[in-house]
Amino acid sequence: MMETMESCVPPGFRFHPTDEELVGYYLKKKVASQKIDLDVIRDIDLYRIEPWDLQDRCRIGYEEQNEWYFFSHKDKKYPTGTRTNRATMAGFWKATGRDKAVYDKMRLIGMRKTLVFYKGRAPNGQKTDWIMHEYRLESDENGPPQART
Amino acid sequence: MMETMESCVPPGFRFHPTDEELVGYYLKKKVASQKIDLDVIRDIDLYRIEPWDLQDRCRIGYEEQNEWYFFSHKDKKYPTGTRTNRATMAGFWKATGRDKAVYDKMRLIGMRKTLVFYKGRAPNGQKTDWIMHEYRLESDENGPPQART
């Protein structure tokens, strides 16, 4: 990946995508299995990796980073259910606050959920400083009621 | 320039160069008349452009910016002298603070001077919020005594 980066992105450029770019370009192409110009966002299995191990897997070039980007499939808690299981070996990701709508100009294109990592097992667990933003595609046509404001 | 940008730099990348990249890559290549991968830094004549007109000339893509990058030749105050003239029609750039050394790892590669824009004419003039960082190549071999610490 670093070779790809260095052969394409000139010195001085940093990956600081907006929510709109993450959803409207990267996630949309990923979901549609379309080619993404540059392999900057890694595929990982979020349920098999602890937050503190993400940086080695998702590093971009040689930069100091405090944010890492990745794609991961959602795991179902139960095979027949719709609840999402976000547990790892060491802990679990728990949603916090309200989901935020992501717009391309005036058009709804996705939602952003914020999650906090807790060490241990729900409903207990010790809150940590690890924060994750989970993006999903969504449009006015298929969005949930709370997104239609 | 925007076409060049869009054909090369993938979505989500922003130009946030470090001092070391500005001096060690962009300025070094410019001074040596070598090819720079991407034409992100414009040539301007700093003495013929007011700070508030820079943003139109030095815009990168469609981003909101509050920093602009450019190359400009130094103007001599008097043809035979070494003092630099940094006046425009509306005011002048005045150095402030001490120059900062720019290193590539442990090696001195340049210096960064900070200047403030004053409206009016020296020695009077009204200080503004416009700040410029002026970079120059310099090495331990040709540096001034104050850079050899």
Side-chain angles (χ1 to χ4, degrees), chain B residues 26-149:
Chain B
Y26 288 98
L27 183 55
K28 191 174 161 203
K29 280 193 180 289
K30 185 70 176 179
V31 167
S33 299
Q34 289 172 347
K35 191 180 172 304
I36 291 172
D37 281 353
L38 192 61
D39 178 30
V40 281
I41 302 186
R42 302 292 296 266
D43 287 300
I44 65 157
D45 181 347
L46 186 65
Y47 316 100
R48 293 174 188 274
I49 189 165
E50 307 303 338
W52 44 87
D53 294 326
L54 284 171
Q55 50 181 308
D56 276 344
R57 297 284 300 279
C58 304
R59 190 183 301 280
I60 301 174
Y62 297 99
E63 296 303 312
E64 284 270 338
Q65 288 175 254
N66 55 12
E67 291 190 321
W68 298 270
Y69 297 89
F70 51 87
F71 292 119
S72 181
H73 279 282
K74 263 189 174 178
D75 224 12
K76 290 292 193 324
K77 199 173 183 70
Y78 307 104
T80 54
T82 56
R83 285 174 65 194
T84 304
N85 179 29
R86 295 193 187 83
T88 69
M89 288 281 281
F92 57 95
W93 292 98
K94 187 182 166 187
T96 181
R98 296 186 62 179
D99 291 5
K100 179 174 170 281
V102 179
Y103 293 97
D104 176 2
K105 301 187 184 80
M106 301 289 284
R107 197 168 50 88
L108 179 71
I109 56 171
M111 298 294 288
R112 186 183 88 177
K113 184 187 289 299
T114 301
L115 302 104
V116 177
F117 190 76
Y118 289 72
K119 287 187 185 173
R121 282 287 160 257
N124 302 309
Q126 181 197 341
K127 193 174 179 175
T128 71
D129 289 336
W130 290 95
I131 299 278
M132 174 167 64
H133 290 137
E134 181 186 273
Y135 296 86
R136 62 180 189 273
L137 298 184
E138 205 144 277
S139 66
D140 290 318
E141 290 77 47
N142 66 12
Q146 74 266 26
R148 296 196 194 110
T149 52

Side-chain angles (χ1 to χ4, degrees), chain A residues 59-76:
Chain A
R59 189 182 301 280
I60 300 174
Y62 297 99
E63 296 303 311
E64 284 270 338
Q65 288 175 253
N66 54 13
E67 290 189 320
W68 297 271
Y69 298 90
F70 51 87
F71 293 118
S72 181
H73 280 282
K74 264 190 175 178
D75 224 13
K76 290 292 194 322

Side-chain angles (χ1 to χ4, degrees), chain A residues 8 11-14 16-17 21 26, chain B residues 8 11-14 16-17 21 26:
Chain A
C8 181
F13 284 86
R14 306 281 177 278
H16 293 306
E21 287 168 328
Y26 288 98
Chain B
C8 181
F13 285 85
R14 306 282 177 278
H16 292 307
E21 287 168 327
Y26 288 98

Side-chain angles (χ1 to χ4, degrees), chain A residues 101-120:
Chain A
V102 179
Y103 293 96
D104 176 3
K105 302 190 182 77
M106 301 290 283
R107 196 167 51 88
L108 180 71
I109 56 172
M111 298 295 287
R112 186 184 87 176
K113 185 187 288 299
T114 302
L115 303 103
V116 177
F117 190 76
Y118 288 73
K119 287 187 185 174

Side-chain angles (χ1 to χ4, degrees), chain A residues 10-146:
Chain A
F13 284 86
R14 306 281 177 278
F15 191 55
H16 293 306
T18 61
D19 286 353
E20 190 260 321
E21 287 168 328
L22 283 173
V23 172
Y25 180 81
Y26 288 98
L27 183 56
K28 190 174 161 204
K29 281 194 180 288
K30 184 72 177 180
V31 167
S33 300
Q34 290 171 347
K35 191 181 170 305
I36 292 172
D37 281 353
L38 191 62
D39 177 29
V40 282
I41 303 186
R42 303 293 296 266
D43 287 301
I44 65 157
D45 181 346
L46 186 65
Y47 316 101
R48 292 173 189 273
I49 191 167
E50 308 303 337
W52 44 87
D53 294 326
L54 285 170
Q55 50 182 307
D56 276 342
R57 296 284 301 277
C58 304
R59 189 182 301 280
I60 300 174
Y62 297 99
E63 296 303 311
E64 284 270 338
Q65 288 175 253
N66 54 13
E67 290 189 320
W68 297 271
Y69 298 90
F70 51 87
F71 293 118
S72 181
H73 280 282
K74 264 190 175 178
D75 224 13
K76 290 292 194 322
K77 200 174 181 71
Y78 307 104
T80 55
T82 56
R83 285 175 64 193
T84 303
N85 179 28
R86 295 193 187 83
T88 69
M89 287 281 281
F92 58 95
W93 292 98
K94 187 182 165 187
T96 181
R98 296 185 61 178
D99 291 5
K100 178 176 172 278
V102 179
Y103 293 96
D104 176 3
K105 302 190 182 77
M106 301 290 283
R107 196 167 51 88
L108 180 71
I109 56 172
M111 298 295 287
R112 186 184 87 176
K113 185 187 288 299
T114 302
L115 303 103
V116 177
F117 190 76
Y118 288 73
K119 287 187 185 174
R121 281 288 161 257
N124 301 311
Q126 181 197 343
K127 194 174 179 175
T128 71
D129 290 335
W130 290 95
I131 299 279
M132 174 166 65
H133 289 138
E134 181 185 273
Y135 296 87
R136 62 180 188 271
L137 298 184
E138 205 144 277
S139 67
D140 290 319
E141 290 76 47
N142 65 13
Q146 73 266 26

